[in-house]
Amino acid sequence: MVRWEPGASDRLRKAALELYAARGFEQTTAAEIAASVGLTERTFFRHFADKREVIFNGAAEFEGGFIEGVRDAPESESVLEVVSAALAMAARFFPDERREFSRLRQTIIDDNASLREREQLKMTTLATGIAEALRDRGVTEPHASLAAQSGVTVFTVSFHQWIAEGETRPLGEIEADIMGELRSLTRAPLPNRGDSSR
Amino acid sequence: MVRWEPGASDRLRKAALELYAARGFEQTTAAEIAASVGLTERTFFRHFADKREVIFNGAAEFEGGFIEGVRDAPESESVLEVVSAALAMAARFFPDERREFSRLRQTIIDDNASLREREQLKMTTLATGIAEALRDRGVTEPHASLAAQSGVTVFTVSFHQWIAEGETRPLGEIEADIMGELRSLTRAPLPNRGDSSR
């Protein structure tokens, strides 16, 4: 597995993101990325299966953080507490020094339909994985799926806030806020629906 | 726009789904679909931009149902009430006689990574659209995004239950149940997190 550490892999990734952002993802070749940091196309393909992989090869680690968070959370009366622990664990994957990288990565994804689709699938896979880990802890359906999806929702909304221009709070703090907002939203009373059933 | 009504379009769609399910999506050509109902490839492409379009061309109508539901919901003290109204409106897009079709469609999507990605993007587009419609009603962020995503979560979990083997309840009834489950889940107290912050 390619690790997040200085070296060819990181240089390639950095160069790739800059080229994707400047020229567009489709318009950039693996050979150009490699050449821009004095490496060969062959070296590129030793580190990444393809151009898309540069953007998504942290996905397993990212998902692993969440799953570990679910597994290691203390016994609790609330399934959302377990999800909150997983969110806190996942936030460690995004230290402040990664914010600029994440911002650039997001603009590249936003610009390309196929990358957006891939990113969405990643989030669905994450939700499926969290739901499975919750079921392993004895949480039944539909609670496992609802809690897992809600966790992904809180993560997604928080992550977009984290990379917003001018935002300086750490991701974990934003997640805790957004989880509170979700709880207050769903705690509001649901009025009698008689007048909207026509 | 191609309408959901008897005729060439419906015959093509029905034939396409049966072939996709029997042979696999990638292995089926537009010409084969057309031929199986005595039509030409040219007729196929008058109704559908491509093979994928057969599966996704109801997306705009589907999303439109939700957005209309948000727009037309009565003034309410709870943003989730608006989302519930949208879910009820969207359920009308899935009458019981459509359940078998939806089941078949889902097995085809589940079997193909690119279709899964497309379906996911559809749900994200839906969440974005609902959030926008909520903001148009004066709901502020992050509440609009959280409520929209929660609505999509309730829809997704409900829809999978609706097409589950042996399920006979209408989608609208399942949605109301699942929304109740989400509310009870997030209403559970969140214990002091002191012991999980290490």
Side-chain angles (χ1 to χ4, degrees):
Chain A
M1 205 179 69
V2 182
R3 294 245 154 241
W4 186 262
E5 62 192 6
S9 159
D10 265 11
R11 282 160 60 208
L12 284 165
R13 187 198 314 272
K14 190 168 177 293
L17 262 75
E18 280 162 8
L19 286 169
Y20 295 166
R23 298 187 195 176
F25 174 76
E26 304 291 357
Q27 286 73 44
T28 306
T29 68
E32 287 168 338
I33 296 164
S36 79
V37 288
L39 297 169
T40 63
E41 188 177 10
R42 198 188 154 118
T43 304
F44 178 93
F45 286 115
R46 262 213 311 277
H47 287 273
F48 304 101
D50 56 35
K51 281 197 306 173
R52 209 160 85 145
E53 183 70 7
V54 180
I55 297 179
F56 293 105
N57 82 331
E61 239 175 305
F62 166 71
E63 193 188 330
F66 273 96
I67 305 302
E68 202 184 319
V70 170
R71 227 174 24 217
D72 298 352
E75 287 290 324
S76 158
E77 55 189 317
S78 153
V79 59
L80 272 205
E81 157 70 4
V82 175
V83 170
S84 290
L87 284 165
M89 181 74 93
R92 292 156 54 177
F93 195 68
F94 298 98
D96 281 350
E97 52 280 22
R98 193 165 173 165
R99 202 184 309 233
E100 267 314 313
F101 169 86
S102 293
R103 225 169 239 157
L104 185 60
R105 179 180 176 281
Q106 191 64 46
T107 61
I108 294 161
I109 291 174
D110 288 346
D111 266 2
N112 183 289
S114 130
L115 298 179
R116 287 200 302 274
E117 294 186 8
R118 178 66 186 76
E119 178 79 344
Q120 276 317 307
L121 187 63
K122 191 180 94 176
M123 302 315 283
T124 312
T125 306
L126 173 63
T128 307
I130 297 174
E132 201 180 311
L134 286 171
R135 286 193 299 269
D136 286 348
R137 284 183 66 120
V139 179
T140 53
E141 287 298 348
H143 300 104
S145 289
L146 285 172
Q149 288 281 2
S150 297
V152 172
T153 294
V154 169
F155 175 79
T156 307
V157 172
S158 302
F159 184 80
H160 277 90
Q161 181 55 42
W162 184 64
I163 59 173
E165 260 333 294
E167 178 62 62
T168 57
R169 290 172 297 163
L171 180 57
E173 187 183 326
I174 298 172
E175 285 173 344
D177 274 10
I178 298 291
M179 179 60 90
E181 295 289 353
L182 176 66
R183 295 169 68 87
S184 70
L185 194 70
T186 52
R187 216 180 283 122
L190 204 60
N192 188 294
R193 309 231 18 247
D195 59 342
S196 66
S197 60
R198 58 198 146 86
Chain B
M1 206 180 71
V2 181
R3 295 245 154 242
W4 185 261
E5 62 191 6
S9 158
D10 266 10
R11 283 160 59 208
L12 285 166
R13 187 198 316 271
K14 190 167 176 294
L17 262 76
E18 280 161 9
L19 286 169
Y20 295 166
R23 301 186 192 175
F25 174 76
E26 303 291 357
Q27 287 74 45
T28 306
T29 67
E32 287 168 338
I33 296 164
S36 79
V37 287
L39 296 171
T40 62
E41 188 178 8
R42 197 188 155 117
T43 304
F44 178 93
F45 287 114
R46 261 213 311 275
H47 287 274
F48 303 102
D50 56 35
K51 281 198 305 174
R52 209 159 84 144
E53 183 71 7
V54 180
I55 297 179
F56 292 105
N57 82 331
E61 237 175 310
F62 166 72
E63 193 189 330
F66 273 95
I67 305 302
E68 203 184 319
V70 170
R71 226 174 24 216
D72 297 352
E75 288 291 322
S76 158
E77 54 189 318
S78 153
V79 60
L80 271 205
E81 156 70 6
V82 175
V83 170
S84 291
L87 284 164
M89 180 75 93
R92 291 157 53 176
F93 195 67
F94 298 97
D96 282 350
E97 52 281 20
R98 193 166 174 165
R99 202 183 312 233
E100 268 313 313
F101 170 86
S102 293
R103 226 169 237 158
L104 184 61
R105 179 181 177 280
Q106 192 64 46
T107 63
I108 294 160
I109 291 174
D110 288 346
D111 266 2
N112 183 288
S114 131
L115 297 180
R116 287 201 302 276
E117 295 187 8
R118 177 67 185 76
E119 179 79 345
Q120 276 317 309
L121 187 63
K122 191 180 93 177
M123 301 316 281
T124 311
T125 306
L126 173 63
T128 307
I130 297 174
E132 200 180 310
L134 286 171
R135 286 193 299 270
D136 285 347
R137 284 183 66 117
V139 179
T140 53
E141 287 295 345
H143 300 105
S145 289
L146 284 172
Q149 288 281 1
S150 297
V152 172
T153 293
V154 169
F155 175 80
T156 307
V157 172
S158 302
F159 184 80
H160 278 90
Q161 181 55 40
W162 184 64
I163 58 173
E165 261 331 296
E167 177 63 60
T168 57
R169 290 173 297 163
L171 180 57
E173 188 182 325
I174 299 172
E175 285 174 343
D177 274 10
I178 299 291
M179 179 59 91
E181 296 289 353
L182 176 67
R183 296 168 68 85
S184 70
L185 193 71
T186 52
R187 217 181 281 123
L190 204 59
N192 188 294
R193 307 231 17 246
D195 59 344
S196 66
S197 59
R198 58 199 147 86

